[in-house]
Amino acid sequence: MVFRYNYVTSDIGHVQTKGRSRAKFNGKIFVIVNSDLQLQDRELKNIIRVEMMNKVVKSIADSTLVNQKAFDDRILMEQKNDQKERQREKDRARITKANKVEKSGVVLHCIKCFKESCCLDDIRSIRNQHHVVTSDLFLDKMKLIDLKKQPIIDGFTHQQKIHCGNCQHKWGTMVVYQQQELPLIAIKNFTLKDDKGKKWFPKAWKDVPFVISSIDMDDLGKQNNFSEAENPEGSQQEKGEIEEDDGLIEYPNIMQIEE
Ligand SMILES: [Zn+2]
């Protein structure tokens, strides 16, 4: 039996926990959540995702019975394409990184009113192209303005416009990436300043002379789930092996507690 208190990870974490709970006995998972953290919603979404995944796996298994050779060829092709794409990604990262230096303590200021917004250390890149802020402190510095439509651009759902909380100058867009809401910012709206007062005014991210880390699962887990750091299970497992789970999806033991 597994109890989780205010801890909801991804659908992968959900499957891993189920794997653990049924190891010897017919186990159950209990998720206990605060009413104000929207964790119940997230857990229910995880359950739906796991259910969808099981359906897809079954349909793939069925199609192998129909034509094994075509299925094997398709898998091989997908693997080769994936490998090429990862190699291209690595090459791009190496070329970009070659001209940049590691530096911490650089702060981003609003280009218009020079108010401090966030640290460069809190910025993560996605596919070496897009840049998001992973510190919750940034949320207090900005103002959100609703978009009439929420377009999906390059895999990101654009939710709201982000403006400077002080002077209203535009900063970027609130986007949804991997089911997480993240502030995506354009560097041309900011000035960089180091601890000695030296300033930079990059027009694009490629002009920023410092190394910016790529986003990983830990960064994504940090958002919207403050208990992550205290949890002994950590999100590390999500990078590791995935225990298979062939059990039925049960509508589950989610408890809400009011504060
Ligand atoms: Zn401003």
Side-chain angles (χ1 to χ4, degrees):
M1 203 176 274
V2 176
F3 285 89
R4 285 186 149 186
Y5 177 68
N6 269 354
Y7 184 65
V8 173
T9 53
S10 64
D11 42 344
I12 297 170
H14 181 94
V15 172
Q16 286 174 331
T17 309
K18 283 199 92 175
R20 190 169 304 149
S21 71
R22 58 128 209 215
K24 276 189 184 161
F25 313 99
N26 193 15
K28 276 195 165 18
I29 310 166
F30 291 89
V31 180
I32 305 164
V33 292
N34 273 94
S35 54
D36 58 340
L37 294 174
Q38 298 176 330
L39 292 174
Q40 181 183 18
D41 188 41
R42 211 162 138 195
E43 182 65 7
L44 285 172
K45 280 182 187 156
N46 283 342
I47 290 161
I48 292 165
R49 278 186 211 114
V50 171
E51 199 169 7
M52 283 163 69
M53 181 195 73
N54 284 344
K55 277 187 192 156
V56 169
V57 169
K58 183 169 184 322
S59 108
I60 292 172
D62 290 348
S63 69
T64 60
L65 295 175
V66 179
N67 188 343
Q68 180 72 43
K69 168 94 175 65
F71 180 77
D72 289 350
D73 290 349
R74 176 75 193 272
I75 293 287
L76 199 65
M77 190 186 77
E78 294 291 346
Q79 282 174 337
K80 278 184 180 165
N81 285 344
D82 189 45
Q83 203 177 14
K84 276 185 205 158
E85 181 51 39
R86 268 181 293 153
Q87 189 56 47
R88 272 196 294 268
E89 187 80 21
K90 264 189 199 165
D91 293 345
R92 269 201 297 267
R94 205 176 47 235
I95 292 163
T96 328
K97 209 171 172 177
N99 307 317
K100 300 191 185 248
V101 292
E102 302 266 359
K103 190 174 174 80
S104 66
V106 176
V107 178
L108 277 75
H109 296 257
C110 171
I111 191 113
K112 197 174 167 197
C113 70
F114 297 104
K115 187 121 179 139
E116 196 176 309
S117 67
C118 61
C119 293
L120 197 66
D121 298 321
D122 296 326
I123 309 249
R124 295 287 178 276
S125 74
I126 299 174
R127 301 198 291 267
N128 267 313
Q129 283 178 321
H130 308 286
H131 294 76
V132 294
V133 187
T134 58
S135 164
D136 286 346
L137 294 174
F138 182 69
L139 306 178
D140 299 331
K141 310 281 173 72
M142 67 189 195
K143 188 175 180 241
L144 292 173
I145 294 175
D146 285 338
L147 288 165
K148 279 184 191 146
K149 284 181 187 169
Q150 301 195 327
I152 300 173
I153 302 167
D154 205 11
F156 297 86
T157 308
H158 287 229
Q159 290 207 307
Q160 290 131 326
K161 279 187 189 171
I162 300 171
H163 290 251
C164 171
N166 187 46
C167 75
Q168 322 297 322
H169 187 74
K170 69 172 180 189
W171 279 357
T173 317
M174 205 69 184
V175 296
V176 178
Y177 173 73
Q178 305 257 335
Q179 293 95 43
Q180 301 274 336
E181 277 186 33
L182 293 163
L184 185 140
I185 56 170
I187 196 64
K188 65 177 181 192
N189 302 321
F190 299 88
T191 303
L192 302 180
K193 192 171 153 191
D194 72 6
D195 47 7
K196 295 194 176 69
K198 189 175 176 191
K199 288 181 185 170
W200 292 263
F201 300 86
K203 287 275 166 283
W205 283 103
K206 63 179 168 53
D207 304 327
V208 175
F210 311 116
V211 174
I212 297 170
S213 312
S214 296
I215 198 157
D216 62 23
M217 284 307 288
D218 287 345
D219 297 315
L220 290 170
K222 218 160 49 176
Q223 292 277 326
N224 307 328
N225 195 350
F226 68 83
S227 60
E228 181 91 14
E230 296 156 20
N231 193 289
E233 290 183 276
S235 58
Q236 248 179 341
Q237 290 158 340
E238 295 181 10
K239 291 178 200 159
E241 83 280 16
I242 298 171
E243 296 173 46
E244 101 270 23
D245 180 12
D246 50 11
L248 288 170
I249 311 290
E250 296 160 82
Y251 269 82
N253 308 303
I254 296 185
M255 256 182 259
Q256 280 228 336
I257 47 171
E258 305 288 336
E259 282 200 313

